[in-house]
Amino acid sequence: MSKMDFLPYGKQFIDEDDIKAVEEVLRSNWLTTGPKVKEFEEKLAEKVGAKYVVAVNSGTAALHAAYYAAGLGEGDEFITSPITFAATANAGLYLKSRPVFVDIESETGNIDVNKIEDAITSKTKVISPVDFSGQPADLTRIMQVARDNNLVTIEDAAHALGAIYQGKPVGSIADMTIFSFHPVKHITTGEGGAIATDNEEYYKKLLAFRSHGITKNPDELMEYHGPWYHEMQTLGYNYRISDISCALGLSQLSKLDNFLARRAWISRQYNAKLESLREHLVLPSVKDQRVSAWHLFVIQVKGGTEERRRLFEYLHSRNIGVQVHYLPVYLHPYYQSLGYSKGLCPEAEDFYSKVISLPIFPEMKEEDIDKVCRTLYEYFGVIYNDR
Ligand SMILES: *Cc1c(COP(=O)(O)O)cnc(C)c1O
């Protein structure tokens, strides 16, 4: 069978406008951090309701920079969810701090707020909730716990660009919020990421961290030898994003609302069409006062491990590119070698044994949705009423 027939779980949408925007930069004098980066940061800040945005070259770099700006370092702990991409925890390891995994709520796959306080110690410095699948975590209560315990909140919103929580855009709530622009995410810059914040001090640290810890800002220099003069004041990285990437990001951002509407429409279709499989599947639900950005459409197979595996293989054999998000981070061999053990977060492990992410991306057509649904009905031996 040709590759064309394969339905991936996620995919970018690139049109002629995107291509033209990139071409324009290629014909200009600036390729790396220039006017397009600034413009992308400003537009994104407006979109997510933040005062400042710093764009970097991956979501992982954004996490690293945010943890750094929060002051996370050797001997510190940070609290996060095990149901996430490894980068959420890895970025803290880069700074020699220790991730503390708090179990999830099974309906949403998000961190269980009721369990956070028990995990706080005198070493805890940061809480990093993950908006799993695009649904915001319980941010009001997380922010409250953070304030009560003097912790910095860093929201991993790699799944949640465009999501809304109690009427406020994700990006305007936590102390810092990170996004990813990897091609499977809502908008893409090829590779890329960003940190949103209202805090000027974090903003300055993020800017320095992005570019070797070097500053040229006359107000910040410790000495001044002449117009050429710049100083490296802290140890930073090269996490700069290019103008090429940000031109693509700007063009993509102008389509974000359409992308979000498509994703919401697809999720409604799935929820309606899969209704009669509720005996076998748990369909995703969105809690009160939340608008999900629907990065993923995650179903839970009630039959558990073996059934999930059979269904996964069945769907793949029919060219439906489902995925599993996620193996609890601490079950990865590397984390096991750091001393985390199985059984740490039972809800997360149970969640992992049941979940399958169905294809969802803006270009998906109704016939694609029907193909996925029909195949699911076929697997469970239930007649599909194609509405
Ligand atoms: C994609 C993703 C990241 C990392 O983003 P990159 O841009 O791939 O580095 C971090 N956290 C979560 C939850 C993600 O889905």
Side-chain angles (χ1 to χ4, degrees), residues 297-316:
F297 190 91
V298 178
I299 58 171
Q300 296 179 48
V301 183
K302 287 185 178 172
T305 314
E306 293 308 313
E307 178 104 282
R308 191 272 301 273
R309 180 164 178 172
R310 278 193 299 273
L311 177 56
F312 187 98
E313 286 170 350
Y314 187 81
L315 290 164
H316 264 256

Side-chain angles (χ1 to χ4, degrees), residues 9-14 180-192 248 252 259 263 295 360-362:
Y9 86 91
K11 185 179 171 235
Q12 70 275 18
F13 175 88
I14 300 285
S180 162
F181 311 122
H182 180 278
V184 298
K185 307 289 164 64
H186 298 81
I187 63 167
T188 190
T189 57
E191 297 276 4
L248 178 56
Q252 288 266 300
F259 291 164
R263 288 176 178 278
H295 166 55
I360 186 167
F361 53 91

Side-chain angles (χ1 to χ4, degrees), residues 103 328 330-331 341-353:
D103 214 348
Y330 63 82
L331 291 181
S341 42
K342 201 160 183 288
L344 182 62
C345 298
E347 290 292 344
E349 291 179 24
D350 183 60
F351 189 78
Y352 165 65
S353 74

Side-chain angles (χ1 to χ4, degrees), residues 129-186:
V130 178
D131 302 325
F132 179 72
S133 82
Q135 167 162 211
D138 222 331
L139 296 173
T140 300
R141 291 181 57 205
I142 292 170
M143 295 300 289
Q144 191 57 53
V145 172
R147 265 193 298 274
D148 292 348
N149 293 279
N150 212 10
L151 310 176
V152 180
T153 49
I154 297 173
E155 184 180 352
D156 183 339
H159 295 187
L161 177 62
I164 294 168
Y165 178 82
Q166 296 182 341
K168 289 188 241 154
V170 158
S172 69
I173 302 163
D175 295 323
M176 284 178 267
T177 305
I178 77 94
F179 299 100
S180 162
F181 311 122
H182 180 278
V184 298
K185 307 289 164 64
H186 298 81

Side-chain angles (χ1 to χ4, degrees), residues 58-60 63 84-85 87-88 130 156 158-159 180 182 185 192 326:
S58 73
T60 305
L63 282 162
T84 185
F85 183 56
T88 317
V130 178
D156 183 339
H159 295 187
S180 162
H182 180 278
K185 307 289 164 64
Y326 291 99

Side-chain angles (χ1 to χ4, degrees), residues 9-10 52 71 73 97-98 126 188 192 207 223 228 257-258 304 328 330 333 356 386:
Y9 86 91
Y52 310 103
S97 63
R98 184 172 172 83
V126 165
T188 190
L207 284 178
E223 292 186 25
W228 66 86
D257 288 343
N258 290 335
Y330 63 82
I356 292 185
D386 204 334

Side-chain angles (χ1 to χ4, degrees), residues 136 140 164-168 286-291:
T140 300
I164 294 168
Y165 178 82
Q166 296 182 341
K168 289 188 241 154
V286 179
K287 289 169 94 177
D288 254 12
Q289 301 206 298
R290 268 159 245 220
V291 178

Side-chain angles (χ1 to χ4, degrees), residues 89-100:
N90 293 352
L93 293 182
Y94 300 160
L95 296 160
K96 300 185 165 51
S97 63
R98 184 172 172 83
V100 172

